[in-house]
Amino acid sequence: MRRLRGRLAGAVLSVLALTLTATGCGGSSEASSGTGTEPGAAAAAGSIPNRVEPLAKRPEPRLPVTVRSADGEQVRVERADRIVPLSGSLSEIVFTLGLGDRVVARDVTATFEQAAKLPVVTRGHGVSAESVLSLKPDLVIAETTTGPEEAVDQIRAAGVPVLFVEAAKGLDDVGPRIQAVADALGVPAAGRELTRRSEQRIEAVREDVPRGEEPRVAFLYLRGSASVYLIGGADSGAGSLIEAAGAVDAGAASGLEKDFTAITSEALVKAAPDAILVMSKGLESVGGVDGLVKIPGVAQTPAGMDRRIVSVEDGVLLNYGPRTDQVLKSVVAQLYGEGGAR
């Protein structure tokens, strides 16, 4: 989702423009109208704690600072008492750095417990400039995929500093994203500490991954309420996570180069996944595992025949941030153990 809302929303909207004339789809973190989630899927989705773990020592920002935004602009941050991070991943970083008490709003993808009561300043896949500005922020932190562009321009035109951070594409982005946020908040040392902690925890999980099996895993993006069924390719953002779990990205390996492609029986047969990775709300939206295997082509794959499904919450799956070690641990446990939805 990267950011989920940016990368997936863009892919979904592109597919919708070509294939759908009915209702639009929800983003990765929007509520879905599916029924019949299976117990295994619920257990798997609940395996990641719905809280972030702040650093033990709360840092004190040293401001002002001038930092380079990912869009090429120089951004001067005078104060950081009222922060608006415009993605779940960026919110996780701010809170985990120990500065969550300065966050005054959240993006709809910020679903963890500490942020739950904050006002939401996004609508569907877009930012509401009016909602952001009404909270009088000192700093807005956005993804390079954040939009619409007009809303971001309106926020900047009002004199609010807007820092863009490169959207996450894989595990290698965890550290740079943390550091970019920490530098902008005047706590660079805390950024280095959190980067070390995050990378060490990810590596610890990787060391425990079973060796030798290398299952083929297909990442499917599902929104049953909008009849959106996509398979991830080389640019889906899931490849890094799948590979870290000791598996092969089935979509990419089958030759799918785009981020997402509409599912067809032929594409699934060619991908031949041994397991399927999905977001929990997407799985719910198609009626759980029973509904998933009814999608044309799924039942004919090894994953469909074995009902080998890995389900992770929408709000954290592709965040590539401080909780990525927990995501990876959940994927590994479900992929090789008995915890997957079947």
Side-chain angles (χ1 to χ4, degrees):
M1 191 181 229
R2 85 275 233 36
R3 182 170 179 266
L4 284 179
R5 192 181 69 196
R7 179 176 294 272
L8 283 174
V12 172
L13 290 175
S14 295
V15 172
L16 283 172
L18 294 172
T19 63
L20 299 179
T21 57
T23 180
C25 73
S28 63
S29 55
E30 293 174 16
S32 41
S33 59
T35 58
T37 303
E38 299 203 355
S47 64
I48 299 173
N50 194 33
R51 293 181 59 83
V52 298
E53 180 190 347
L55 294 174
K57 185 177 180 181
R58 185 180 185 278
E60 187 61 36
R62 300 187 66 176
L63 299 170
V65 297
T66 299
V67 292
R68 184 176 179 81
S69 175
D71 66 343
E73 298 289 332
Q74 293 292 322
V75 177
R76 184 167 179 81
V77 182
E78 299 280 352
R79 298 169 58 86
D81 297 324
R82 300 181 63 81
I83 306 167
V84 176
L86 291 178
S87 77
S89 178
L90 295 174
S91 292
E92 283 189 18
I93 293 172
V94 177
F95 272 84
T96 311
L97 285 169
L99 301 177
D101 59 336
R102 296 167 179 255
V103 177
V104 297
R106 69 181 177 94
D107 169 75
V108 69
T109 62
T111 57
F112 56 95
E113 184 178 311
Q114 292 102 318
K117 294 183 179 180
L118 291 170
V120 177
V121 292
T122 52
R123 299 169 182 167
H125 298 304
V127 176
S128 168
E130 293 79 8
S131 296
V132 171
L133 293 173
S134 70
L135 294 166
K136 303 186 184 305
D138 299 318
L139 174 66
V140 170
I141 309 176
E143 307 272 356
T144 49
T145 51
T146 297
E149 184 177 347
E150 295 78 7
V152 178
D153 289 343
Q154 185 178 343
I155 294 169
R156 271 186 167 164
V160 178
V162 177
L163 175 78
F164 280 97
V165 177
E166 288 288 353
K169 296 180 181 178
L171 290 170
D172 290 343
D173 296 321
V174 172
R177 284 167 58 82
I178 289 173
Q179 197 61 53
V181 173
D183 289 347
L185 296 178
V187 291
R192 292 189 290 272
E193 180 182 351
L194 181 55
T195 293
R196 283 194 299 270
R197 190 186 84 175
S198 300
E199 292 178 345
Q200 287 171 358
R201 290 180 175 182
I202 290 170
E203 188 57 34
V205 178
R206 297 183 74 160
E207 289 176 357
D208 289 337
V209 172
R211 307 298 175 189
E213 183 177 346
E214 294 191 343
R216 293 172 65 89
V217 178
F219 174 40
L220 303 187
Y221 179 77
L222 311 170
R223 278 299 177 266
S225 58
S227 298
V228 175
Y229 311 109
L230 308 175
I231 180 171
D235 197 31
S236 74
S240 177
L241 185 66
I242 291 171
E243 292 169 6
V248 175
D249 185 339
S254 70
L256 298 178
E257 297 181 355
K258 296 194 302 180
D259 44 10
F260 291 92
T261 301
I263 289 175
T264 63
S265 296
E266 293 78 10
L268 284 172
V269 169
K270 187 175 182 180
D274 300 303
I276 290 173
L277 173 64
V278 292
M279 297 176 190
S280 56
K281 287 181 180 176
L283 186 60
E284 291 174 12
S285 78
V286 298
V289 178
D290 286 340
L292 175 60
V293 296
K294 292 178 182 177
I295 295 174
V298 172
Q300 286 69 51
T301 66
M305 288 185 280
D306 293 339
R307 298 169 68 88
R308 192 176 181 184
I309 312 301
V310 177
S311 172
V312 179
E313 299 106 310
D314 302 41
V316 296
L317 177 58
L318 300 182
N319 269 0
Y320 293 119
R323 287 198 289 170
T324 294
D325 65 297
Q326 298 172 25
V327 173
L328 180 58
K329 185 175 182 179
S330 177
V331 170
V332 170
Q334 295 180 67
L335 187 57
Y336 300 101
E338 299 299 325
R342 293 178 185 267

